[in-house]
Amino acid sequence: MQNMNLARNRRRVGMIAAWRLPGARFVTVEAQEESVLLARKSAQWNGLEARYEIRQGDFREPGVLRHDERFDLVLGSPPYFPPGSGVEGDHPQKIACRFELRGTVADYCEVAARHLQRGGFFACVFPVAPEEQEARVKSGAAAAGLVTVRQRPVVLREGERPLLGLFGMIRAEDLPERVRARTWSEPPLIIRTRDGSVHPEYSAVKQAFGFPP
Protein backbone atom coordinates (compact mmCIF):
# COMPACT_ATOMS: atom_id res chain seq x y z
CA MET A 1 0.00 0.00 0.00
CA GLN A 2 1.41 3.36 -1.05
CA ASN A 3 0.35 6.56 0.72
CA MET A 4 1.08 10.24 0.24
CA ASN A 5 0.80 12.96 2.84
CA LEU A 6 0.50 16.52 1.51
CA ALA A 7 0.87 17.75 5.04
CA ARG A 8 3.18 20.74 4.59
CA ASN A 9 3.58 21.65 8.26
CA ARG A 10 1.25 18.96 9.62
CA ARG A 11 3.73 16.11 9.87
CA ARG A 12 1.67 14.54 12.68
CA VAL A 13 -0.96 13.49 10.11
CA GLY A 14 1.46 11.25 8.26
CA MET A 15 3.11 9.92 11.42
CA ILE A 16 -0.25 8.85 12.87
CA ALA A 17 -1.22 7.15 9.61
CA ALA A 18 2.14 5.35 9.45
CA TRP A 19 1.69 4.10 13.02
CA ARG A 20 -1.87 2.96 12.24
CA LEU A 21 -0.91 1.26 8.94
CA PRO A 22 2.27 -0.68 9.76
CA GLY A 23 2.40 -2.39 6.38
CA ALA A 24 2.19 0.81 4.32
CA ARG A 25 4.87 2.95 2.74
CA PHE A 26 4.57 6.74 2.88
CA VAL A 27 5.74 9.77 0.96
CA THR A 28 5.40 13.07 2.81
CA VAL A 29 5.87 16.44 1.12
CA GLU A 30 7.00 19.35 3.31
CA ALA A 31 7.60 22.85 1.97
CA GLN A 32 9.71 24.34 4.75
CA GLU A 33 13.22 23.24 5.63
CA GLU A 34 12.58 23.47 9.37
CA SER A 35 9.53 21.22 9.03
CA VAL A 36 11.54 18.71 6.99
CA LEU A 37 14.21 18.50 9.68
CA LEU A 38 11.60 18.01 12.40
CA ALA A 39 9.79 15.38 10.34
CA ARG A 40 13.00 13.43 9.81
CA LYS A 41 13.75 13.50 13.51
CA SER A 42 10.23 12.26 14.25
CA ALA A 43 10.52 9.48 11.69
CA GLN A 44 13.83 8.36 13.17
CA TRP A 45 12.52 8.50 16.74
CA ASN A 46 9.47 6.41 15.75
CA GLY A 47 11.48 3.89 13.75
CA LEU A 48 9.77 4.74 10.45
CA GLU A 49 12.75 5.63 8.28
CA ALA A 50 12.58 2.46 6.16
CA ARG A 51 9.04 3.18 4.94
CA TYR A 52 8.60 6.91 5.40
CA GLU A 53 10.13 9.11 2.70
CA ILE A 54 10.19 12.87 3.35
CA ARG A 55 10.61 15.23 0.41
CA GLN A 56 11.15 18.98 0.60
CA GLY A 57 9.37 21.16 -1.92
CA ASP A 58 6.11 22.56 -3.17
CA PHE A 59 3.94 19.61 -4.20
CA ARG A 60 2.59 21.63 -7.14
CA GLU A 61 6.04 21.88 -8.73
CA PRO A 62 7.23 19.30 -11.28
CA GLY A 63 9.73 16.84 -9.92
CA VAL A 64 8.55 16.80 -6.31
CA LEU A 65 6.19 13.98 -7.24
CA ARG A 66 6.97 11.86 -10.29
CA HIS A 67 4.27 12.01 -12.94
CA ASP A 68 3.83 8.22 -12.78
CA GLU A 69 3.60 7.96 -8.96
CA ARG A 70 0.26 6.63 -7.73
CA PHE A 71 -1.02 6.21 -4.18
CA ASP A 72 -3.83 4.23 -2.55
CA LEU A 73 -4.36 6.94 0.06
CA VAL A 74 -3.61 10.65 -0.02
CA LEU A 75 -3.88 12.71 3.17
CA GLY A 76 -3.99 16.48 3.27
CA SER A 77 -4.53 19.23 5.80
CA PRO A 78 -4.56 22.33 3.61
CA PRO A 79 -4.05 25.80 5.06
CA TYR A 80 -7.46 27.31 5.68
CA PHE A 81 -7.42 30.98 4.68
CA PRO A 82 -6.33 33.22 1.79
CA PRO A 83 -3.41 35.57 2.61
CA GLY A 84 -4.58 38.85 4.11
CA SER A 85 -7.84 37.42 5.45
CA GLY A 86 -6.69 37.36 9.08
CA VAL A 87 -3.89 38.03 11.55
CA GLU A 88 -0.93 36.10 10.20
CA GLY A 89 1.51 36.38 13.11
CA ASP A 90 5.28 36.29 12.80
CA HIS A 91 6.23 32.60 12.90
CA PRO A 92 6.81 31.20 9.37
CA GLN A 93 5.55 27.71 10.22
CA LYS A 94 2.36 28.98 11.85
CA ILE A 95 1.65 31.34 8.96
CA ALA A 96 2.02 28.55 6.40
CA CYS A 97 -0.25 26.29 8.46
CA ARG A 98 -3.11 28.79 8.42
CA PHE A 99 -2.71 30.79 5.23
CA GLU A 100 -2.49 29.69 1.60
CA LEU A 101 1.06 30.69 0.79
CA ARG A 102 1.63 27.67 -1.49
CA GLY A 103 -1.65 26.60 -2.96
CA THR A 104 -5.33 26.39 -2.08
CA VAL A 105 -7.57 23.46 -1.19
CA ALA A 106 -8.32 23.25 -4.93
CA ASP A 107 -4.61 22.65 -5.57
CA TYR A 108 -4.59 19.86 -3.00
CA CYS A 109 -7.58 18.26 -4.73
CA GLU A 110 -5.98 18.56 -8.16
CA VAL A 111 -2.67 17.01 -7.12
CA ALA A 112 -4.40 14.28 -5.13
CA ALA A 113 -6.64 13.34 -8.06
CA ARG A 114 -3.67 13.21 -10.41
CA HIS A 115 -1.71 10.82 -8.17
CA LEU A 116 -4.42 8.48 -6.86
CA GLN A 117 -4.41 4.83 -7.78
CA ARG A 118 -7.60 3.57 -9.38
CA GLY A 119 -10.15 3.52 -6.54
CA GLY A 120 -7.77 5.46 -4.26
CA PHE A 121 -9.01 7.70 -1.46
CA PHE A 122 -8.22 11.34 -0.68
CA ALA A 123 -8.97 12.51 2.87
CA CYS A 124 -8.63 16.09 4.09
CA VAL A 125 -9.81 18.46 6.79
CA PHE A 126 -11.07 21.96 6.00
CA PRO A 127 -13.33 24.63 7.55
CA VAL A 128 -17.08 24.43 6.92
CA ALA A 129 -17.80 27.85 8.46
CA PRO A 130 -18.46 30.29 7.02
CA GLU A 131 -20.35 28.56 4.23
CA GLU A 132 -18.00 29.97 1.60
CA GLN A 133 -15.22 27.79 3.02
CA GLU A 134 -17.18 24.58 2.59
CA ALA A 135 -18.09 25.72 -0.94
CA ARG A 136 -14.38 26.05 -1.74
CA VAL A 137 -13.77 22.40 -0.87
CA LYS A 138 -16.67 21.22 -2.99
CA SER A 139 -15.79 23.37 -5.98
CA GLY A 140 -12.14 22.33 -5.76
CA ALA A 141 -13.10 18.67 -5.65
CA ALA A 142 -15.48 19.01 -8.59
CA ALA A 143 -12.87 20.85 -10.67
CA ALA A 144 -10.40 18.02 -10.01
CA GLY A 145 -12.89 15.32 -10.96
CA LEU A 146 -13.34 14.12 -7.38
CA VAL A 147 -16.54 13.04 -5.65
CA THR A 148 -16.96 13.67 -1.93
CA VAL A 149 -18.23 10.26 -0.87
CA ARG A 150 -18.06 10.95 2.88
CA GLN A 151 -18.34 14.16 4.86
CA ARG A 152 -18.40 14.66 8.61
CA PRO A 153 -18.65 17.96 10.51
CA VAL A 154 -16.44 18.46 13.57
CA VAL A 155 -17.91 20.20 16.63
CA LEU A 156 -15.23 21.48 18.99
CA ARG A 157 -17.65 21.76 21.93
CA GLU A 158 -21.07 20.18 22.26
CA GLY A 159 -23.86 22.60 21.39
CA GLU A 160 -21.68 24.81 19.17
CA ARG A 161 -21.86 24.93 15.38
CA PRO A 162 -19.33 22.89 13.39
CA LEU A 163 -16.27 24.83 12.31
CA LEU A 164 -14.36 22.06 10.53
CA GLY A 165 -15.25 19.18 8.29
CA LEU A 166 -13.66 15.86 7.37
CA PHE A 167 -13.91 15.05 3.67
CA GLY A 168 -13.32 11.73 1.91
CA MET A 169 -13.03 11.79 -1.89
CA ILE A 170 -12.68 9.34 -4.77
CA ARG A 171 -12.19 10.13 -8.44
CA ALA A 172 -15.52 10.22 -10.27
CA GLU A 173 -14.16 8.00 -13.04
CA ASP A 174 -13.49 5.27 -10.47
CA LEU A 175 -17.11 5.19 -9.25
CA PRO A 176 -20.28 3.78 -10.83
CA GLU A 177 -22.17 6.59 -12.51
CA ARG A 178 -25.22 6.12 -10.28
CA VAL A 179 -23.27 7.10 -7.12
CA ARG A 180 -21.21 10.00 -8.48
CA ALA A 181 -23.58 12.59 -7.05
CA ARG A 182 -23.97 10.98 -3.63
CA THR A 183 -22.31 12.02 -0.39
CA TRP A 184 -22.70 10.10 2.86
CA SER A 185 -23.16 12.85 5.45
CA GLU A 186 -22.15 11.47 8.83
CA PRO A 187 -23.23 12.71 12.28
CA PRO A 188 -20.96 15.36 13.83
CA LEU A 189 -17.78 14.29 15.57
CA ILE A 190 -17.90 16.09 18.93
CA ILE A 191 -14.52 16.82 20.52
CA ARG A 192 -15.63 18.01 23.97
CA THR A 193 -18.90 17.74 25.85
CA ARG A 194 -20.72 20.72 27.36
CA ASP A 195 -18.82 20.37 30.64
CA GLY A 196 -15.46 20.46 28.83
CA SER A 197 -14.58 16.77 29.14
CA VAL A 198 -13.43 14.78 26.13
CA HIS A 199 -16.39 13.24 24.31
CA PRO A 200 -16.46 9.41 24.57
CA GLU A 201 -16.40 8.92 20.80
CA TYR A 202 -13.42 11.23 20.39
CA SER A 203 -11.68 9.34 23.20
CA ALA A 204 -12.14 6.17 21.16
CA VAL A 205 -10.79 7.92 18.07
CA LYS A 206 -7.69 9.04 19.99
CA GLN A 207 -7.11 5.52 21.30
CA ALA A 208 -7.35 4.15 17.76
CA PHE A 209 -4.52 6.53 16.81
CA GLY A 210 -2.39 5.52 19.79
CA PHE A 211 -3.09 8.56 21.96
CA PRO A 212 -4.32 8.49 25.58
CA PRO A 213 -8.12 8.99 25.70
Side-chain angles (χ1 to χ4, degrees):
M1 184 177 183
Q2 291 281 98
N3 304 276
M4 175 170 65
N5 177 32
L6 301 178
R8 288 278 172 77
N9 299 289
R10 292 164 168 84
R11 60 188 179 279
R12 180 181 291 185
V13 175
M15 294 290 173
I16 291 172
W19 178 86
R20 194 68 179 84
L21 301 170
R25 299 183 62 84
F26 282 80
V27 171
T28 288
V29 178
E30 290 278 5
Q32 297 187 76
E33 183 177 1
E34 183 177 355
S35 296
V36 171
L37 294 175
L38 290 171
R40 287 176 177 157
K41 286 182 180 179
S42 295
Q44 183 179 25
W45 192 87
N46 286 282
L48 297 173
E49 293 169 291
R51 60 187 183 92
Y52 199 89
E53 181 184 353
I54 302 163
R55 301 178 189 175
Q56 183 177 354
D58 188 322
F59 63 80
R60 299 169 299 169
E61 296 296 326
V64 177
L65 295 167
R66 298 193 310 271
H67 76 279
D68 61 342
E69 282 188 292
R70 298 292 182 269
F71 301 90
D72 302 290
L73 174 66
V74 176
L75 303 172
S77 187
Y80 297 157
F81 307 110
S85 61
V87 178
E88 296 183 1
D90 57 0
H91 194 290
Q93 285 185 296
K94 291 182 179 179
I95 295 172
C97 277
R98 289 173 54 83
F99 296 95
E100 296 165 336
L101 303 184
R102 298 183 182 89
T104 67
V105 65
D107 293 314
Y108 276 71
C109 290
E110 191 276 327
V111 172
R114 187 168 4 118
H115 290 280
L116 282 172
Q117 287 277 19
R118 182 173 177 81
F121 194 80
F122 172 46
C124 73
V125 58
F126 203 73
V128 295
E131 293 181 359
E132 305 86 76
Q133 288 286 75
E134 183 175 358
R136 294 176 67 207
V137 183
K138 293 181 177 179
S139 63
L146 294 168
V147 173
T148 302
V149 293
R150 300 180 66 174
Q151 179 176 343
R152 188 170 195 188
V154 178
V155 174
L156 300 182
R157 195 181 187 101
E158 192 174 17
E160 298 178 352
R161 68 170 182 167
L163 298 180
L164 299 172
L166 305 173
F167 299 86
M169 307 176 195
I170 296 176
R171 291 187 305 184
E173 64 187 63
D174 297 339
L175 293 168
E177 189 171 352
R178 67 181 184 278
V179 300
R180 292 178 184 175
R182 297 182 186 177
T183 298
W184 177 23
S185 296
E186 302 182 42
L189 174 64
I190 300 172
I191 305 301
R192 292 192 175 273
T193 62
R194 294 179 189 274
D195 65 10
S197 59
V198 177
H199 191 277
E201 184 183 7
Y202 188 58
S203 291
V205 170
K206 292 177 67 178
Q207 285 182 300
F209 289 156
F211 288 93

